[in-house]
Amino acid sequence: MSTPTPRNHRTGFNRSSRFRTRAFWLLVKVALFWYAIGFVKTVYDYYLLKNNNGEVFDFANWLAGMGLAITLGLLFLGPLIIYVLYRFLRAAPYWKVLLYLLIGYAVIAVGMELITLPVIYGLDHQVGIFSQAAFLYALHYLQTPNFLAVFLFWLLVLLLTVVVILVNEKYGPGMFGKLLMGQYYRPKKEDRIFMFLDMKSSTAIAEDIGEEAYFNLLKDCFADMTGPILDNEGEIYQYVGDEVIVCWPLETGLKSGRCVQTFLDIRQKLRQMEAYYLEKYGVLPAFKAGFHAGQVMAGEIGVIKRDITYSGDVLNTTSRIQSKCNELGVDHLISGSLWQQLRPHFSIEGERVSVEVALRGRNEKVDLYRVVES
């Protein structure tokens, strides 16, 4: 038997090229956001001091210093955010994640001030940036209320950044702005693709390994699925027992066959983790999936616990398509209507598994397909 994958790979931290691409564009968005905040803050501080007869700093020098500080922050804090969120967030308690971020931010913030303040002092006073006077100025500034105010301001910016990232991870890219603007306050119609993903033989596995081990098995499986889902721009709609419901806006899910590619990537990921699962649980988990697309009503629901909910016949149909997997002896099924839309976007060939299958609770019969990998 091959060597089990180490425990620290259990958190869905994906080192694939798609993960690196996603992380890169995430850092670009964070950079644009931080530079915009830095510019606005510099302008605000300058005119606040000027209009209140305070000591007016050289605007260009301070803007250059702010730009240098943000650049250093991105170089150090950016990877920290990505590393902590993707490597620890799904495995550690939230307080521990926040503690990691706070400690990392505090160390980096002090370090940045010791680098940027001598630069600003040197430019303002026409002295060497590595001179003793510049360094003493930086040390003195670290003990002033101004430093504490700046420290807390950027800490709030960091926390806001993390919150936005987490909301977008949960609901999908761009969803934070939509929620903030109340676009889902009133229900709206959307065309979406749904994937219902369910563990095979879950009852027998739970009885065999026990409830606690089964819960940990699900936790590990869901963690391993996270990377492939995010790589293919999927949105995790719900966890229901041992089932995961993933969805995409129609065009997003069709592009390059992302919706079905997600399932193929999940299946491959679990196979890569075979040694780990067999050693820890004595079983290699496998999942079956059903795919369907259609129009749903989407909107916020709830008061204390608010969430985005989808309703429509497409969800019931997807669930029933998935339930046919065991009967037809396959691990995934795609509705005929979705497959016809998917074919022009997908490089993998399809096979019609069954013609005009009757689904429980529906009068309309559907054709069912699966992809055939070479």
Side-chain angles (χ1 to χ4, degrees), residues 137-345:
Y137 170 78
L139 287 179
H140 173 72
Y141 183 80
L142 291 176
Q143 304 172 48
T144 65
N146 282 345
F147 170 72
L148 180 60
V150 171
F151 179 89
L152 293 176
F153 174 82
W154 283 103
L155 177 60
L156 289 176
V157 172
L158 173 64
L159 293 177
L160 177 60
T161 302
V162 172
V163 168
V164 172
I165 292 173
L166 292 180
V167 171
N168 280 325
E169 291 276 295
K170 179 178 180 181
Y171 295 113
M175 192 59 70
F176 180 82
K178 293 179 181 179
L179 289 173
L180 195 64
M181 299 302 295
Q183 292 189 26
Y184 284 96
Y185 183 74
R186 295 184 183 278
K188 56 188 296 187
K189 292 182 179 180
E190 292 186 347
D191 291 317
R192 285 191 166 260
I193 299 173
F194 285 86
M195 174 178 71
F196 278 55
L197 192 66
D198 187 45
M199 182 181 287
K200 292 183 178 181
S201 307
S202 56
T203 302
I205 293 174
E207 292 177 351
D208 185 46
I209 67 176
E211 292 183 1
E212 183 176 353
Y214 178 68
F215 182 88
N216 289 327
L217 173 64
L218 288 178
K219 188 175 179 181
D220 281 347
C221 288
F222 293 162
D224 282 332
M225 292 176 186
T226 301
I229 291 172
L230 295 179
D231 283 343
N232 290 285
E233 299 189 32
E235 303 168 16
I236 298 175
Y237 172 43
Q238 285 181 343
Y239 294 107
V240 185
D242 57 3
E243 184 176 68
V244 186
I245 303 175
V246 184
C247 64
W248 296 259
L250 182 64
E251 292 303 318
T252 302
L254 291 178
K255 186 178 180 181
S256 302
R258 283 190 184 120
C259 57
V260 178
Q261 189 62 50
T262 300
F263 174 74
L264 302 179
D265 290 347
I266 288 172
R267 188 172 64 185
Q268 180 182 13
K269 177 65 176 180
L270 293 177
R271 288 173 179 172
Q272 291 173 351
M273 304 301 299
E274 177 179 2
Y276 171 84
Y277 283 109
L278 290 177
E279 179 180 289
K280 185 170 183 180
Y281 302 106
V283 63
L284 177 62
F287 285 77
K288 56 181 185 284
F291 297 86
H292 187 46
Q295 194 171 80
V296 294
M297 293 299 298
E300 287 187 66
I301 196 169
V303 178
I304 297 176
K305 184 181 183 300
R306 301 176 69 178
D307 210 342
I308 295 177
T309 297
Y310 303 104
S311 64
D313 185 62
V314 59
L315 284 93
N316 296 326
T317 302
T318 310
S319 178
R320 288 161 184 160
I321 289 173
Q322 182 226 73
S323 68
K324 287 289 182 178
C325 287
N326 288 342
E327 178 183 328
L328 297 175
V330 295
D331 63 0
H332 70 279
L333 289 168
I334 308 164
S335 68
S337 60
L338 173 58
W339 179 249
Q340 296 309 316
Q341 298 179 77
L342 196 59
R343 284 183 65 183
H345 303 270

Side-chain angles (χ1 to χ4, degrees), residues 20 32 41 46 59 68 79-80 110 181 204 228 253 284 336 359 362:
R20 290 192 292 269
L32 293 175
K41 186 178 188 306
Y46 178 79
F59 180 80
L68 176 60
L80 175 67
V110 172
M181 299 302 295
L284 177 62
L359 301 177
R362 289 179 56 88

Side-chain angles (χ1 to χ4, degrees), residues 347-349 371-374:
S347 60
I348 303 179
E349 294 297 323
V371 298
V372 180
E373 297 178 275
S374 57

Side-chain angles (χ1 to χ4, degrees), residues 56-75:
V56 180
F57 52 81
D58 185 285
F59 180 80
N61 290 345
W62 273 92
L63 189 60
M66 178 68 75
L68 176 60
I70 293 174
T71 301
L72 292 173
L74 289 167
L75 289 174

